[in-house]
């Protein structure tokens, strides 16, 4: 039954004895229009969510919030790695130590600079789409476990603490991602790999061989690190890529490296052989540890380092090396060293470093997923660059 007010409303819209339903029809059309719009927005939201969008919760832009690596959760007590409910794929550890430098210091600020730069790449996406290759992958689960407690002027204690920290990560069956620091930190990190109780193949990307035995009694500086690593019984062999120009190592060092099981390839030689041929020098299925000195890349794209050397790799070359080598083996750890923010005012070096680390994590996660589904080693959808 119509109310009095409704009857009056209908009466007001009666024309020539015929009732006009225009207001009711308008209301109906508006309601149906709003309903249709809500359906469209719901579908768009679902589509965005399925493609890794961030339609819900906080926007959490790069310049907002705490500056952990990639804005991943922090974990300050490393012993908790053994007890976390869901074991992470990667633990990011900073080693702010540059006491081994021989020229410009500043790499002790590397971990902090790389962490800040890494926030650029975290907009809440669940997945990453690589427009170059057509691949879609994720970085996996990550915890930022903070920094090694460095003791200023005490290199021995600082390096020992570095080894202990990495051993704690490996003992929890988590892959360490190390932010240097200068290249001296790689020796204790590789010493910690003994926890794996299997031979490890070491891949170095660097402008310098870093194979000096000792200089004025110094055996654990950034120019000695690769020799110290190859002396370890569990480091099976080594591939040194990007070595060029006037090195900090004499000719005898190159001869020693070859005699001890290292293959040394310059930037020109890598380009001549191609990525696929270089990757095949890594044994199929090997445990692989990567050590990336940022000066392995050209200073035109990585100026923020203590010992820049012209004629280095470009981003895509290192990215393709990472992808191809990680597919062949099992990534058991990676360090990226010698990033010195004081010489990087525009932040291009720290941004590059963060990008390479995230690339490696994504490739490792995708490779592990491929092995679980029987598709390991498959080429990218649109071919490798």
């Amino acid at each position: 039954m119509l109310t009095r007010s409704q009857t009056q409303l209908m009466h007001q819209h009666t024309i020539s004895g015929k009732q006009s339903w225009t207001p009711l029809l308008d209301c109906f059309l508006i309601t149906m229009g709003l309903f249709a719009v809500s359906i469209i927005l719901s579908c768009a939201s679902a589509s965005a969510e399925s493609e890794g969008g961030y339609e819900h919760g906080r926007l959490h832009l790069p310049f907002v919030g705490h500056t952990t690596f990639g804005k991943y959760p922090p974990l300050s007590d490393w012993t908790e790695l053994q007890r976390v409910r869901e074991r992470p794929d990667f633990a990011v550890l900073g080693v702010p130590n540059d006491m081994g430098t021989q020229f410009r210091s500043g790499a002790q600020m590397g971990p902090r600079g790389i962490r800040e730069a890494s926030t650029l790449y975290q907009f809440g996406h669940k997945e990453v789409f690589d427009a170059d290759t057509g691949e879609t992958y994720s970085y996996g689960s990550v915890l930022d476990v903070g920094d090694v407690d460095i003791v200023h002027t005490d290199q021995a204690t600082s390096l020992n603490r570095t080894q202990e920290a990495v051993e704690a990560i490996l003992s929890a069956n988590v892959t360490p991602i190390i932010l240097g620091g200068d290249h001296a930190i790689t020796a204790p990190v590789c010493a910690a790999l003994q926890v794996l109780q299997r031979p490890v193949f070491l891949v170095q990307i660097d402008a310098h061989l870093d194979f000096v035995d000792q200089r004025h009694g110094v055996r654990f500086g950034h120019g000695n690190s690769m020799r110290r690593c190859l002396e370890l019984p569990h480091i099976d062999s080594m591939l040194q890529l990007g070595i060029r120009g006037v090195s900090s190592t004499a000719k005898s060092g190159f001869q020693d490296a070859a005699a001890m099981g290292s293959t040394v390839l310059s930037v020109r030689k890598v380009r001549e052989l191609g990525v696929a041929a270089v990757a095949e020098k890594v044994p199929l299925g090997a445990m692989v540890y990567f050590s990336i000195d940022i000066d392995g890349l050209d200073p035109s794209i990585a100026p923020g380092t203590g010992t820049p050397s012209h004629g280095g790799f470009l981003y895509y070359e290192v990215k393709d090396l990472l992808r191809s080598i990680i597919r062949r083996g099992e990534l058991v750890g990676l360090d990226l060293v010698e990033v010195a923010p004081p010489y990087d005012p525009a932040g291009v070096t720290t941004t590059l470093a963060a990008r390479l680390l995230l690339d490696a994590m994504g490739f490792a996660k995708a490779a592990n997923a491929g092995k679980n589904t029987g598709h390991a080693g498959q080429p990218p959808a649109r071919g490798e660059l």
Side-chain angles (χ1 to χ4, degrees), residues 133-135 327 378-384:
T133 63
E135 296 170 290
R327 280 189 180 145
Q378 294 285 341
R382 300 212 311 258
E384 209 168 65

Side-chain angles (χ1 to χ4, degrees), residues 35-326:
F35 178 68
V37 169
S38 68
I39 292 176
I40 293 171
L41 291 175
S42 176
C43 292
S45 177
S47 175
E49 184 71 19
S50 67
E51 293 189 5
Y54 46 95
E55 298 298 325
H56 307 290
R58 295 186 56 173
L59 185 55
H60 209 43
L61 290 170
F63 50 83
V64 174
H66 297 294
T67 310
T68 59
F69 181 84
K71 292 201 170 184
Y72 288 109
L75 182 69
S76 58
D77 185 354
W78 302 330
T79 62
E80 289 296 318
L81 280 172
Q82 299 278 6
R83 295 188 288 272
V84 291
R85 182 175 300 178
E86 294 184 7
R87 180 179 60 84
D89 298 300
F90 305 100
V92 178
L93 174 70
V95 187
N97 179 0
D98 64 5
M99 287 182 278
T101 56
Q102 300 175 87
F103 186 41
R104 301 190 300 188
S105 61
Q108 67 176 354
M109 304 306 296
R112 186 167 294 184
I114 294 170
R115 281 188 173 102
E116 181 175 359
S118 71
T119 64
L120 170 64
Y121 300 109
Q122 289 296 348
F123 280 89
H125 297 292
K126 294 180 180 178
E127 295 178 331
V128 179
F129 175 69
D130 190 330
D132 293 316
T133 63
E135 296 170 290
T136 299
Y137 52 83
S138 70
Y139 300 132
S141 57
V142 184
L143 289 177
D144 187 328
V145 297
D147 294 337
V148 173
D149 189 24
I150 300 301
V151 181
H152 62 294
T153 76
D154 191 340
Q155 179 75 314
T157 297
S158 298
L159 295 183
N160 287 337
R161 289 183 175 183
T162 300
Q163 180 175 342
E164 292 166 3
V166 178
E167 286 176 346
I169 295 170
L170 292 168
S171 296
N173 198 25
V174 178
T175 302
I177 302 295
I178 312 298
L179 315 178
D182 69 46
H183 221 157
I185 72 166
T186 300
V189 174
C190 282
L193 296 175
Q194 64 182 326
V195 169
L196 301 173
Q197 297 184 333
R198 281 181 54 190
V200 175
F201 191 96
L202 176 57
V203 179
Q204 174 197 9
I205 294 177
D206 202 326
H208 311 98
L209 198 68
D210 295 346
F211 219 81
V212 175
D213 185 13
Q214 63 175 324
R215 183 173 289 145
H216 288 264
V218 176
R219 303 184 71 249
F220 288 92
H222 70 171
N224 315 104
S225 55
M226 292 301 112
R227 191 180 191 113
R228 298 290 86 87
C229 291
L230 203 50
E231 289 171 345
L232 297 167
H234 55 278
I235 302 299
D236 192 39
S237 51
M238 181 163 57
L239 181 61
Q240 297 179 273
L241 307 175
I243 314 302
R244 60 189 184 273
V246 178
S247 176
S248 59
T249 304
K251 182 178 180 180
S252 60
F254 284 79
Q255 295 168 337
D256 290 347
M260 293 172 66
S262 177
T263 299
V264 180
L265 300 177
S266 67
V267 172
R268 286 178 172 176
K269 193 64 178 180
V270 170
R271 289 171 177 165
E272 177 187 327
L273 293 173
V275 169
V278 172
E280 288 177 358
K281 295 184 180 296
V282 177
L284 190 63
M287 281 188 163
V288 177
Y289 182 86
F290 262 99
S291 183
I292 304 175
D293 187 325
I294 201 67
D295 70 24
L297 289 98
D298 194 78
S300 61
I301 60 170
T305 188
T307 53
S309 179
H310 289 282
F313 289 121
L314 299 179
Y315 164 68
Y316 282 113
E317 294 173 309
V318 175
K319 178 181 179 180
D320 290 347
L321 286 167
L322 285 168
R323 181 196 293 112
S324 298
I325 292 174
I326 288 172

Side-chain angles (χ1 to χ4, degrees), residues 25-36:
L25 181 61
D26 287 346
C27 291
F28 174 77
L29 292 175
I30 291 171
T31 301
M32 292 303 294
L34 290 173
F35 178 68

